[in-house]
Amino acid sequence: MKASDYNQYPEWMRKPFDKIQIYTYYDIKPDPDNPGRHIIPNIYQFKLTDHIIVTDEGGSNPRPIHIAYTNASAPDGSMVVGDDLFFSAQNYGRIVLDPKKASDHAKFMFMEYSNMNASNPNRDNSVHPVWKKEDLQVEAKASRVDRKVRKEAMLEAAQLSAYMVDVLMNVLSGSVSDKDKSEEEKRDMIEDIAETSPKTFLAAVKSSLSEIISTTKKAKDLGIIKNDFKKQAFISQPDDEVIWSTKGIDKKKTYELFAKYLQENPSVLKTIESKVLMEQELV
């Protein structure tokens, strides 16, 4: 086919390309061996020609056309595909197109209308998608949310005791050899996970907290401990000894913060857990 036989888009489909567009490789997968990292091909060269159905602006007169990313033609007029449009791990599985670059306009038309674009509402669904278009406004909002979550996770990680570092290593690391690392090495690993996978990290922390909160509420119901509002403290029963002061804390987070205290003080937690078990056996 001649180069002139390709890219015969109806005029209405020639969208204004006036802002940066980002297309992301569709099959990026989490790396099961490295939490927070992803598997991206070093180089993924996709097909640079396609066959799509176009219509008039009102949706009538459907007809097939051939499209391609081409930036040159052979002496005989035949089409020559470009050699600078591909996904790579170096670019984090993304192709960024800039309207200020003349060559990016042809790339934009091909990537926008190809059946390989998962974000193309008119694509042929029998074709496996290779990329998706990023919504930069949604992405910017998500980025702000991600920064907030990451900040929370990093702050939480920085405050972990040596005991909790070991607990989370058991939950978040699948390698037995990691347990033999020094505390500093383990802490570095946990902080890396908190930074790269903050939601996973926080879920692990909150999961262990949930179990402790459940235990403390059982202990309260069984009369083993008491949240004494006058003393502003959790006290043990029947000796009325203060376990942990609630003075000045956010009342809505009383049990969560008490559970964090118990996480950091496993001997106190074990005492409460053993008393709960004993009381439940007596009931």
Side-chain angles (χ1 to χ4, degrees):
M1 292 176 63
K2 300 290 186 182
S4 58
D5 294 326
Y6 286 87
N7 301 329
Q8 296 299 310
Y9 299 99
E11 191 59 36
W12 72 270
M13 289 181 67
R14 298 184 182 277
K15 295 182 179 180
F17 175 39
D18 53 10
K19 58 184 178 181
I20 287 176
Q21 303 290 346
I22 299 176
Y23 300 91
T24 303
Y25 181 63
Y26 192 76
D27 286 330
I28 294 177
K29 294 181 174 63
D31 186 342
D33 299 321
N34 296 286
R37 297 186 180 180
H38 296 82
I39 299 173
I40 304 171
N42 286 331
I43 297 289
Y44 185 86
Q45 179 62 74
F46 49 87
K47 187 176 67 168
L48 294 174
T49 60
D50 205 349
H51 182 262
I52 68 172
I53 302 297
V54 300
T55 66
D56 292 339
E57 190 167 4
S60 60
N61 190 25
R63 57 200 181 276
I65 66 168
H66 293 276
I67 65 172
Y69 166 56
T70 176
N71 53 16
S73 59
D76 64 357
S78 60
M79 188 270 294
V80 178
V81 296
D83 59 0
D84 59 342
L85 188 58
F86 52 84
F87 290 101
S88 69
Q90 183 178 2
N91 290 327
Y92 306 102
R94 288 186 165 190
I95 292 174
V96 180
L97 302 183
D98 187 342
K100 294 179 181 178
K101 296 180 181 178
S103 62
D104 280 5
H105 286 254
K107 295 175 183 177
F108 167 73
M109 290 297 290
F110 180 75
M111 297 200 75
E112 189 73 5
Y113 288 116
S114 172
N115 291 308
M116 292 177 280
N117 177 13
S119 304
N120 176 4
N122 299 313
R123 65 184 295 272
D124 178 353
N125 290 321
S126 67
V127 177
H128 182 74
V130 177
W131 63 83
K132 62 181 179 179
K133 182 179 179 179
E134 299 294 345
D135 186 324
L136 297 184
Q137 289 185 331
V138 172
E139 194 173 72
K141 183 177 179 181
S143 179
R144 289 194 296 273
V145 173
D146 286 345
R147 284 197 299 272
K148 184 177 179 181
V149 172
R150 187 173 290 107
K151 182 179 179 181
E152 181 186 351
M154 292 298 292
L155 181 61
E156 190 77 44
Q159 298 174 345
L160 292 175
S161 67
Y163 171 76
M164 275 307 297
V165 168
D166 283 336
V167 170
L168 291 173
M169 282 294 293
N170 287 332
V171 174
L172 296 170
S173 173
S175 174
V176 176
S177 62
D178 288 340
K179 296 178 182 179
D180 298 325
K181 294 182 184 294
S182 68
E183 181 188 337
E184 185 176 354
E185 289 173 319
K186 291 177 184 177
R187 191 174 291 277
D188 283 344
M189 289 182 67
I190 291 298
E191 289 180 354
D192 283 345
I193 294 172
E195 182 176 12
T196 57
S197 299
K199 292 180 181 178
T200 300
F201 170 80
L202 289 173
V205 172
K206 288 175 181 176
S207 175
S208 55
L209 277 179
S210 296
E211 293 181 11
I212 298 174
I213 290 171
S214 175
T215 298
T216 59
K217 288 185 176 180
K218 287 178 184 175
K220 182 177 75 71
D221 292 341
L222 291 167
I224 296 167
I225 62 173
K226 178 182 178 182
N227 183 8
D228 193 311
F229 297 108
K230 288 184 179 179
K231 291 186 177 180
Q232 298 185 60
F234 275 97
I235 61 173
S236 60
Q237 298 284 74
D239 52 21
D240 285 350
E241 288 189 7
V242 172
I243 302 172
W244 180 72
S245 173
T246 60
K247 189 176 181 179
I249 68 165
D250 183 346
K251 300 303 180 184
K252 294 179 181 178
K253 295 184 176 180
T254 298
Y255 280 92
E256 180 182 342
L257 295 174
F258 182 42
K260 283 187 178 181
Y261 165 79
L262 294 175
Q263 271 186 332
E264 306 293 336
N265 295 271
S267 61
V268 179
L269 175 60
K270 286 179 181 177
T271 298
I272 293 173
E273 287 176 334
S274 61
K275 288 182 178 180
V276 168
L277 287 173
M278 288 175 62
E279 289 293 331
Q280 286 179 328
E281 287 175 358
L282 294 173
V283 174

